[in-house]
Amino acid sequence: SGALAMALLSPQQAVDVWPALSAMLDMYADTWRGFRSKEAIFRDLALGHLNVWFLQVGAAPPALVVFSHVVESPAGEHARTKVLQIIDACGDMSEAALALMDTTFEDVARLHECVAIEVIGRKGWERRLRTRGFRHVATLLSRPTGRGSGKPN
Protein backbone atom coordinates (compact mmCIF):
# COMPACT_ATOMS: atom_id res chain seq x y z
CA SER A 1 0.00 0.00 0.00
CA GLY A 2 1.12 3.56 -0.65
CA ALA A 3 -0.03 7.11 -0.88
CA LEU A 4 -2.57 8.19 -3.48
CA ALA A 5 -0.83 10.43 -6.03
CA MET A 6 -1.78 12.24 -9.21
CA ALA A 7 0.77 12.96 -11.96
CA LEU A 8 0.60 14.90 -15.21
CA LEU A 9 2.36 13.12 -18.07
CA SER A 10 4.40 15.07 -20.61
CA PRO A 11 3.42 14.61 -24.27
CA GLN A 12 6.40 12.25 -24.74
CA GLN A 13 5.45 10.21 -21.66
CA ALA A 14 1.88 9.95 -22.99
CA VAL A 15 3.22 8.64 -26.32
CA ASP A 16 5.53 6.21 -24.50
CA VAL A 17 2.66 4.69 -22.48
CA TRP A 18 0.15 4.81 -25.34
CA PRO A 19 -0.31 1.01 -25.52
CA ALA A 20 -1.46 0.96 -21.88
CA LEU A 21 -3.59 4.08 -22.36
CA SER A 22 -5.14 2.59 -25.48
CA ALA A 23 -6.03 -0.62 -23.61
CA MET A 24 -7.61 1.38 -20.78
CA LEU A 25 -9.58 3.48 -23.27
CA ASP A 26 -10.89 0.25 -24.82
CA MET A 27 -12.18 -0.85 -21.39
CA TYR A 28 -14.14 2.41 -21.02
CA ALA A 29 -15.04 3.10 -24.67
CA ASP A 30 -18.60 4.12 -23.79
CA THR A 31 -17.26 7.24 -22.05
CA TRP A 32 -15.38 8.70 -25.03
CA ARG A 33 -16.15 6.97 -28.32
CA GLY A 34 -19.07 9.24 -29.21
CA PHE A 35 -16.88 12.33 -28.89
CA ARG A 36 -13.52 11.51 -30.48
CA SER A 37 -11.50 8.70 -32.03
CA LYS A 38 -8.48 7.06 -30.45
CA GLU A 39 -6.41 8.45 -33.31
CA ALA A 40 -7.52 11.99 -32.37
CA ILE A 41 -6.77 11.34 -28.70
CA PHE A 42 -3.28 10.07 -29.56
CA ARG A 43 -2.59 13.02 -31.88
CA ASP A 44 -3.79 15.57 -29.32
CA LEU A 45 -1.70 13.96 -26.57
CA ALA A 46 1.41 13.86 -28.75
CA LEU A 47 0.99 17.52 -29.73
CA GLY A 48 0.32 18.62 -26.15
CA HIS A 49 -3.22 19.79 -26.94
CA LEU A 50 -4.64 17.27 -24.49
CA ASN A 51 -3.25 16.43 -21.05
CA VAL A 52 -3.32 13.02 -19.44
CA TRP A 53 -3.16 12.51 -15.70
CA PHE A 54 -2.49 9.23 -13.87
CA LEU A 55 -3.87 8.66 -10.42
CA GLN A 56 -2.25 5.75 -8.66
CA VAL A 57 -1.41 4.24 -5.31
CA GLY A 58 2.32 3.72 -4.78
CA ALA A 59 4.02 1.92 -7.68
CA ALA A 60 0.84 0.13 -8.79
CA PRO A 61 -0.48 0.66 -12.33
CA PRO A 62 -2.76 3.70 -12.64
CA ALA A 63 -6.17 3.22 -11.05
CA LEU A 64 -7.55 6.21 -12.93
CA VAL A 65 -6.67 8.08 -16.11
CA VAL A 66 -8.05 11.59 -16.63
CA PHE A 67 -7.88 13.75 -19.76
CA SER A 68 -8.04 17.54 -19.58
CA HIS A 69 -7.20 20.71 -21.46
CA VAL A 70 -7.45 24.44 -21.03
CA VAL A 71 -9.65 26.21 -23.55
CA GLU A 72 -10.44 29.84 -24.14
CA SER A 73 -14.19 30.03 -24.22
CA PRO A 74 -15.32 32.15 -27.19
CA ALA A 75 -18.92 32.55 -26.03
CA GLY A 76 -21.39 31.56 -23.39
CA GLU A 77 -21.34 31.87 -19.64
CA HIS A 78 -17.54 32.35 -19.45
CA ALA A 79 -16.99 34.49 -22.58
CA ARG A 80 -13.37 35.24 -23.52
CA THR A 81 -11.97 33.49 -20.49
CA LYS A 82 -9.97 30.35 -19.86
CA VAL A 83 -11.72 27.24 -18.63
CA LEU A 84 -10.16 23.96 -17.50
CA GLN A 85 -12.14 21.14 -19.09
CA ILE A 86 -12.03 17.60 -17.75
CA ILE A 87 -13.15 15.66 -20.78
CA ASP A 88 -12.85 12.06 -19.72
CA ALA A 89 -11.98 9.88 -16.76
CA CYS A 90 -11.41 6.14 -17.01
CA GLY A 91 -11.01 3.85 -14.03
CA ASP A 92 -11.86 3.53 -10.37
CA MET A 93 -13.42 6.67 -8.95
CA SER A 94 -13.28 6.40 -5.16
CA GLU A 95 -14.10 9.32 -2.89
CA ALA A 96 -10.39 9.66 -2.08
CA ALA A 97 -9.59 9.85 -5.81
CA LEU A 98 -12.34 12.40 -6.35
CA ALA A 99 -11.00 14.57 -3.48
CA LEU A 100 -7.45 14.45 -4.89
CA MET A 101 -8.70 15.28 -8.38
CA ASP A 102 -10.71 18.21 -7.01
CA THR A 103 -7.69 19.69 -5.21
CA THR A 104 -5.31 19.05 -8.13
CA PHE A 105 -7.56 20.53 -10.79
CA GLU A 106 -8.38 23.55 -8.64
CA ASP A 107 -4.61 24.24 -8.43
CA VAL A 108 -4.17 23.67 -12.19
CA ALA A 109 -7.07 26.00 -13.00
CA ARG A 110 -5.61 28.70 -10.77
CA LEU A 111 -2.14 28.26 -12.37
CA HIS A 112 -3.61 28.76 -15.85
CA GLU A 113 -5.83 31.66 -14.70
CA CYS A 114 -9.02 29.75 -15.47
CA VAL A 115 -12.29 31.14 -14.18
CA ALA A 116 -14.03 27.76 -14.08
CA ILE A 117 -13.60 24.01 -14.22
CA GLU A 118 -15.96 22.11 -16.52
CA VAL A 119 -16.54 18.38 -16.53
CA ILE A 120 -17.80 16.94 -19.79
CA GLY A 121 -19.08 13.46 -19.13
CA ARG A 122 -21.98 11.19 -18.48
CA LYS A 123 -25.04 12.21 -16.47
CA GLY A 124 -23.88 10.35 -13.33
CA TRP A 125 -21.14 12.90 -12.79
CA GLU A 126 -23.72 15.57 -11.98
CA ARG A 127 -24.79 13.72 -8.84
CA ARG A 128 -21.19 12.92 -7.80
CA LEU A 129 -19.91 16.48 -8.28
CA ARG A 130 -22.86 18.54 -7.02
CA THR A 131 -21.50 18.46 -3.44
CA ARG A 132 -18.22 19.91 -4.75
CA GLY A 133 -19.91 23.04 -6.14
CA PHE A 134 -20.55 21.87 -9.70
CA ARG A 135 -23.93 22.56 -11.29
CA HIS A 136 -25.66 21.48 -14.48
CA VAL A 137 -25.04 24.13 -17.17
CA ALA A 138 -26.07 22.55 -20.47
CA THR A 139 -27.34 19.44 -22.14
CA LEU A 140 -25.69 18.12 -25.29
CA LEU A 141 -27.99 16.46 -27.79
CA SER A 142 -26.64 14.65 -30.84
CA ARG A 143 -27.81 12.60 -33.81
CA PRO A 144 -26.05 11.18 -36.86
CA THR A 145 -26.17 13.25 -40.03
CA GLY A 146 -28.06 12.07 -43.09
CA ARG A 147 -31.31 11.42 -41.27
CA GLY A 148 -33.38 14.12 -42.95
CA SER A 149 -33.76 17.81 -42.40
CA GLY A 150 -34.59 17.53 -38.72
CA LYS A 151 -37.96 19.20 -39.38
CA PRO A 152 -41.01 17.62 -37.78
CA ASN A 153 -43.27 15.65 -40.13
Side-chain angles (χ1 to χ4, degrees):
S1 136
L4 191 60
M6 194 158 187
L8 172 63
L9 275 62
S10 71
Q12 185 58 55
Q13 289 171 319
V15 168
D16 292 345
V17 299
W18 177 251
L21 276 175
S22 179
M24 192 163 208
L25 284 168
D26 287 342
M27 290 174 25
Y28 297 94
D30 61 317
T31 67
W32 59 268
R33 188 164 282 146
F35 299 99
R36 59 183 63 212
S37 67
K38 278 206 310 193
E39 293 78 14
I41 293 171
F42 178 81
R43 180 195 65 235
D44 290 346
L45 288 171
L47 293 173
H49 297 259
L50 186 63
N51 297 310
V52 62
W53 299 80
F54 278 2
L55 190 140
Q56 58 195 96
V57 177
L64 179 68
V65 175
V66 181
F67 297 94
S68 70
H69 61 174
V70 174
V71 296
E72 188 163 338
S73 182
E77 183 178 359
H78 306 294
R80 294 183 304 279
T81 57
K82 291 181 185 176
V83 176
L84 175 64
Q85 287 185 336
I86 312 303
I87 57 173
D88 199 8
C90 305
D92 179 29
M93 185 57 65
S94 66
E95 278 303 314
L98 193 58
L100 180 58
M101 280 178 45
D102 194 20
T103 301
T104 299
F105 289 128
E106 184 68 32
D107 291 344
V108 169
R110 194 174 303 112
L111 177 71
H112 289 282
E113 300 177 339
C114 296
V115 298
I117 300 171
E118 296 176 342
V119 176
I120 301 171
R122 295 183 291 181
K123 184 117 176 97
W125 281 108
E126 184 179 350
R127 180 179 39 82
R128 296 277 319 266
L129 297 176
R130 189 176 303 125
T131 60
R132 297 184 180 280
F134 287 85
R135 64 182 176 81
H136 182 263
V137 174
T139 300
L140 173 68
L141 303 172
S142 176
R143 73 167 173 85
T145 57
R147 299 196 58 178
S149 66
K151 296 179 184 174
N153 292 333

